[in-house]
């Protein structure tokens, strides 16, 4: 009985995600880079230049009313030269949701801020800035939130080199595994 209920709930959510993705594709047309409404993490992909208008639409359209930003995450696609911000959105009224992946160039990462729409984006955008270096244009107070104000670089970038020390404090002893006395020899 429980299995049938979960299957029905998943099928209903999949259909709802497909409807939301269809509405987004209709609204943006060829500006939608990709659409994956039937995957475990239903989502659409857009470029940063198209995010502000789409976010406003997703938040304010009565049929969608995605009024809660559940989570905002950064992703580094170093091989593609891109960064991505993943927005997981949910509607309390309609009990549906979808994710939007917003892509920007890795060498000049700018994404419009959505703090004015979803207040939860405030600290989450700051964390993505702090860890990935993504600039959220229009953010009211974009500054580091996890690292010290004078920290250099962005620790979650895949090519980030962790500093040997920070203000005289050793910072990377654990990273030097091959130099540890108990490290097995013959493993490079």
């Amino acid at each position: 009985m429980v299995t049938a209920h979960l299957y029905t709930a998943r099928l209903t959510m999949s259909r709802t995600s497909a409807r939301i993705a269809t509405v987004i594709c209709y609204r943006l047309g060829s500006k939608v880079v990709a659409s994956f409404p039937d995957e475990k993490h239903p989502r659409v992909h857009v470029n940063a230049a198209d995010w502000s208008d789409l976010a406003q639409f997703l938040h304010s359209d009565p049929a969608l009313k995605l009024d809660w930003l559940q989570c905002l995450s950064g992703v580094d696609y170093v091989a593609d030269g891109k960064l991505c911000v993943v927005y997981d959105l949910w509607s309390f009224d309609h009990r549906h949701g979808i994710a939007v992946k917003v892509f920007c160039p890795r060498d000049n990462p700018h994404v419009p801020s959505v703090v004015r729409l979803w207040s939860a984006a405030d600290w989450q955008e700051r964390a993505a800035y702090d860890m990935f270096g993504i600039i959220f244009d229009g953010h009211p107070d974009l500054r580091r939130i996890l690292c010290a104000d004078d920290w250099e670089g962005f620790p979650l970038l895949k090519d980030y080199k962790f500093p040997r020390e920070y203000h005289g404090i050793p910072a990377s002893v654990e990273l030097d595994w091959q130099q540890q006395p108990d490290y097995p020899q013959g493993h490079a």
Side-chain angles (χ1 to χ4, degrees):
M1 185 69 170
V2 172
T3 305
H5 175 70
L6 290 175
Y7 174 77
T8 304
R10 181 176 226 171
L11 187 61
T12 302
M13 182 58 89
S14 176
R15 288 182 187 153
T16 302
S17 299
R19 278 196 302 258
I20 296 170
T22 299
V23 169
I24 292 170
C25 290
Y26 180 76
R27 173 84 175 187
L28 290 183
S30 63
K31 293 180 182 177
V32 173
V33 175
S35 179
F36 304 96
D38 297 322
E39 292 197 3
K40 288 183 181 181
H41 189 221
R43 65 195 182 280
V44 295
H45 296 184
V46 298
N47 289 314
D50 303 311
W51 173 230
S52 189
D53 291 338
L54 177 58
Q56 180 66 47
F57 173 70
L58 295 175
H59 184 266
S60 62
D61 183 84
L64 298 177
K65 198 177 180 188
L66 295 162
D67 53 356
W68 181 39
L69 172 62
Q70 294 175 293
C71 183
L72 179 159
S73 308
V75 182
D76 183 4
Y77 292 102
V78 67
D80 298 330
K82 295 180 180 182
L83 291 176
C84 169
V85 181
V86 183
Y87 298 85
D88 287 292
L89 304 170
W90 180 257
S91 171
F92 283 109
D93 287 351
H94 300 304
R95 312 294 296 164
H96 65 216
I98 196 161
V100 179
K101 279 190 166 188
V102 179
F103 290 87
C104 61
R106 195 169 188 270
D107 62 350
N108 189 20
H110 284 261
V111 173
S113 175
V114 291
V115 171
R116 64 182 174 73
L117 299 173
W118 297 288
S119 60
D122 186 358
W123 286 14
Q124 293 181 51
E125 287 180 355
R126 286 180 60 190
Y129 162 71
D130 201 2
M131 295 291 107
F132 293 94
I134 300 168
I135 307 295
F136 290 91
D137 296 318
H139 189 283
D141 187 23
L142 191 62
R143 59 189 165 97
R144 290 198 181 268
I145 192 170
L146 300 170
C147 294
D149 291 341
D150 63 344
W151 193 267
E152 292 183 22
F154 305 101
L156 290 183
L157 292 177
K158 291 181 180 175
D159 57 355
Y160 179 72
K161 301 290 186 224
F162 202 80
R164 308 292 285 161
E165 66 176 41
Y166 173 72
H167 293 292
I169 302 167
S172 66
V173 175
E174 293 82 12
L175 297 179
D176 298 330
W177 295 110
Q178 293 176 355
Q179 296 176 15
Q180 298 295 323
D182 59 345
Y183 188 82
Q185 297 302 312
H187 299 288

